[in-house]
Amino acid sequence: MGFLDRFTNRNTDEEQEKLDKGMDKTRSSFMGKLNRLVRGKDTVDAALLDDLEELLVTSDVGVDTTLDIIDHIEERVARDQYVSTEELNAMIREEIAMLMLDTEDERPADFDAELPNKPHVVMVVGVNGVGKTTTIGKMAHRYKQAGKSVLMGAGDTFRAAAIEQLEIWSERADVPMIKQKHGSDPAAVAFDTIEAAVARDSDVVLIDTAGRLHTKGGLMDELSKMKRIMSRKVPDAPHEVLLVLDASTGQNAIRQAEEFTKSVDVTGLALTKLDGTAKGGVVIGVSHQFQVPVKYIGVGEGLDDLQVFDRKGFVEALFGE
Amino acid sequence: MFESLSDKLDSALKSVTGQGRINELNIAETMREIRRALLNADVNYKVARDITDRVKEKATGDEVLQSVTPGEQLTKIVYDELTRVLGGEHVGLNMADHPPTVILVAGLQGSGKTTFVAKLAKHLRSKGHAPLLAAADVYRPAAVDQLRTLADQVGVPVYSVEDDGQIVQDAVRVADEAVAHAKQKARDVVIIDTAGRMHVDEAMMKEVADIKGAVDPNEILFVVDSMTGQDAVNTAKEFNEQLDFDGVVLTKLDGDTRGGAALSIRTVVEKPIKFASTGEKLDALSEFYPDRMAQRILGMGDVVSFVERAQEQYDEEQAQQLKQKIKSDDFDLQDFYDQLQRIQNMGSMKDLIGMIPGVGSQMKDLDLDEDAFKHIEAMILSMTPEERSNPQILNGTRRRRIAKGSGVEVRDVNQLIKQFRDMKKMMKTMSKLTGQGRSMNLKKLMGRFGGGGSNPFPG
């Protein structure tokens, strides 16, 4: 299978298979197109660069990132006069590797890694319909499987039946949750959850929030308030603010990342719905334009379909054989 | 820094505007800029290419070459082309000759199907229909609860199939039985809410095709998040191949997305966009008008919608009275309060401002406090009727009382009174100007973008 072998070398075989299947489209479309593009050509010309631009843009890498990559290649072609397609391949790889790897860690902590705080509080935010509640359900399951005690907080008190939805995940993952009734103050729910976690000596706290468009100032302020209230119970909480992005989102993903960071200092991204479509490129664009690491990727609807994202592996696998 | 499509087009067009004529040389660079602007708005790559090719063809015709204002000409061409690509005319729902009309709603996960279903039910109810909602999303946790809660708010019934309190996981059965149920209960529209599904999920795509086979819908709507990127086209294509849907619904248009996906889907599947949905309030649904969307993509505002909303709030007579009051300087704080009420009934400030041509793009980063009016209202309501009609009697004691009564500081009251005085002055000046026919500038501005019959100020 090549592409993702190294990408997920720390995952189990079963996980690997699922992820392979989930990322199949991205792999075959991006690499297949790149290979077809370069094959049979012996030099880099304007037409080839145009095709490369199309390939990167249609993979949702993003216009700015694409132009950056193309510009760099153009520069080198102009300087070196002659560039073979092999060199071009290497250049693209270098460029993408640079974009992907210039942020700190190579791979975020696994679910079984020792946590720096107790309880370790994670707040999950994002626009409507990206899969926040589902991501929390999956995280709860993965943390629990790794031997951690988990507590979830039903902080989406706004959307109809959001609490019920998290409740079902709580049963599936067999992880307890703290809730209040629909329409109550989400900051109070967050506070109660952390308080309960301290009392129960839980390892991980996962706080759900209502989906909100990043353009709604009032709702964004509500998030900052939730965050402030949490730190009253446990200083430094939340230790992680996870922004969930739908992988099929286009250029607006960057705006979402910017605005949420302004309000709540996003520390990591979870990219959902990566299964099934040719959207892997958005990982590259987001990593480049937004200096917050992708931490998780969602590749299906099952409890296990959430993976820790290994960037180094991703780049190696993208071009490795 | 993100630039919206209109900003980018602006700068692309400026390079032409500064020059006397459009020519082969300056147009190539401009087209490249326009294409990138379209790509940045998530317009599909191929569609963006097609658009710029056509714009270029038109723009290099003799007519434009001899025009004195190439920038404006080019804007008009781009606008016309966007309107054409978006479908030209508004297309409504297909209704059955013999009720019930069956509407099937499908789309990806998280695209906003359930919320849209509730909004559509409300919309149809306001037009005199009696909808029934079918809860055919039998998989997502609590999806049926969500639909039921929203349906309660709208006041329409929901049909679901449960066994011993458990949702029966048979979407085809739910849809089929819902239609039969509607016939029995004389509900004339059935809206079927289905589970979100990935277009590559064969089993799930077969399920929705089976629902279609079982109930033979009059209208199949494909719901898509307007923030979707390049993949929107593939998704729409796959759904169309499976379902041959009749129309597209764009959701979450209230973000800062430019909605380039709308352009792409319309072009690639050749199906009309029928509704645009904004916000979580259940009346935030509008029928889709291509020319208005083209104006939005270009950042030209949406004057028609603005005027329509204003018309809902004002009749001719009220408008005349108001004009008279301003002219004769009788406009007082009570009138001001009434106007505030009307404006708020028109919708959120951000929506309204976004509709004003040329203002939308400048105001996009402005964080408007939707509650800002509340303090003003509270202050006016704390005044006596006499104070409202004669603000000049407001001395220090009265101002302190008002501040106390409305929970603000005295300086807020002072500020209100000052602002009101300034506003009156401005209104008087404006009414004098328009009296002398100086509103020409606005008319001229609108005429520029008049395009597809959307000029709200004819003549």
Side-chain angles (χ1 to χ4, degrees), chain B residues 48 52 62 65 70 73 95 246 261 269 334 367:
Chain B
T52 45
D62 282 348
L65 287 175
Q73 283 279 356
M95 299 303 278
D246 302 284
V269 298
Q334 182 61 46
D367 194 11

Side-chain angles (χ1 to χ4, degrees), chain A residues 154-306:
Chain A
D156 181 356
T157 58
F158 177 77
R159 182 170 63 87
I163 299 171
E164 287 85 340
Q165 188 184 349
L166 191 67
E167 231 159 12
I168 294 172
W169 281 108
S170 141
E171 281 163 27
R172 282 187 191 169
D174 192 21
V175 161
M177 69 178 259
I178 301 293
K179 61 169 182 180
Q180 288 182 10
K181 57 179 189 302
H182 179 80
S184 54
D185 179 6
V189 177
F191 186 86
D192 281 1
T193 311
I194 295 178
E195 198 167 49
V198 172
R200 296 176 194 196
D201 205 23
S202 310
D203 297 318
V204 184
V205 177
L206 305 173
I207 306 280
D208 195 8
T209 63
R212 64 202 73 218
L213 287 178
H214 52 289
T215 50
K216 310 259 154 130
L219 291 175
M220 297 303 283
D221 291 347
E222 182 190 270
L223 273 189
S224 328
K225 178 188 161 196
M226 273 180 90
K227 198 179 164 213
R228 269 199 317 277
I229 299 285
M230 285 185 214
S231 64
R232 278 194 204 158
K233 188 68 207 173
V234 172
D236 303 332
H239 308 97
E240 278 184 56
V241 177
L242 193 66
L243 173 66
V244 183
L245 293 173
D246 181 334
S248 61
T249 304
Q251 299 298 295
N252 200 253
I254 310 285
R255 290 285 300 147
Q256 293 173 21
E258 280 173 3
E259 290 301 322
F260 274 96
T261 292
K262 261 188 221 160
S263 299
V264 285
D265 292 321
V266 174
T267 60
L269 306 175
L271 215 53
T272 60
K273 308 183 206 176
L274 253 179
D275 47 331
T277 44
K279 301 176 286 206
V282 74
V283 181
I284 301 170
V286 166
S287 303
H288 172 225
Q289 294 184 35
F290 192 71
Q291 300 296 314
V292 166
V294 176
K295 201 165 174 203
Y296 305 111
I297 53 175
V299 290
E301 294 202 322
L303 266 177
D304 294 312
D305 299 334
L306 184 78

Side-chain angles (χ1 to χ4, degrees), chain B residues 122-197:
Chain B
K122 184 162 190 197
H123 174 81
L124 289 171
R125 246 196 90 179
S126 73
K127 299 203 157 187
H129 293 285
L132 171 72
L133 308 185
D137 180 355
V138 291
Y139 306 106
R140 184 165 63 89
V144 179
D145 292 336
Q146 187 189 355
L147 186 66
R148 226 178 255 138
T149 310
L150 294 174
D152 281 349
Q153 289 170 23
V154 182
V156 298
V158 174
Y159 187 85
S160 64
V161 183
E162 277 167 43
D163 184 25
D164 222 8
Q166 290 291 309
I167 306 290
V168 174
Q169 299 213 326
D170 186 345
V172 179
R173 184 176 149 198
V174 174
D176 206 23
E177 287 184 14
V179 175
H181 186 77
K183 279 179 192 158
Q184 258 178 26
K185 302 278 176 186
R187 311 294 300 184
D188 67 347
V189 183
V190 181
I191 309 172
I192 303 169
D193 181 29
T194 63
R197 63 202 73 222

Side-chain angles (χ1 to χ4, degrees), chain A residues 50 53-54 57-58 60 63-64 67 128-129 158-161 164-165 168-169 172 211 213-217 248-252 255-256 273 275-277 279 301, chain B residues 1-2 8 35-36 39-40 42 45-46 49 109-110 139-142 145-146 149-150 198-200 227-231 252 254-257 279-280 350 365 367:
Chain A
D50 264 7
E53 181 184 314
E54 175 175 354
V57 168
T58 51
D60 272 329
V63 180
D64 293 342
L67 292 182
N128 316 67
F158 177 77
R159 182 170 63 87
E164 287 85 340
Q165 188 184 349
I168 294 172
W169 281 108
R172 282 187 191 169
L213 287 178
H214 52 289
T215 50
K216 310 259 154 130
S248 61
T249 304
Q251 299 298 295
N252 200 253
R255 290 285 300 147
Q256 293 173 21
K273 308 183 206 176
D275 47 331
T277 44
K279 301 176 286 206
E301 294 202 322
Chain B
M1 180 61 198
F2 174 90
K8 288 231 163 175
R35 196 179 80 208
R36 283 181 178 165
L39 290 175
N40 251 328
D42 289 321
Y45 194 85
K46 289 196 177 64
R49 267 222 155 129
Q109 289 95 339
Y139 306 106
R140 184 165 63 89
D145 292 336
Q146 187 189 355
T149 310
L150 294 174
M198 287 279 180
H199 53 289
V200 289
M227 293 183 280
T228 313
Q230 295 285 326
D231 210 53
K252 305 181 204 170
D254 46 341
D256 50 4
T257 172
E280 298 189 63
K350 214 162 189 175
D365 291 329
D367 194 11

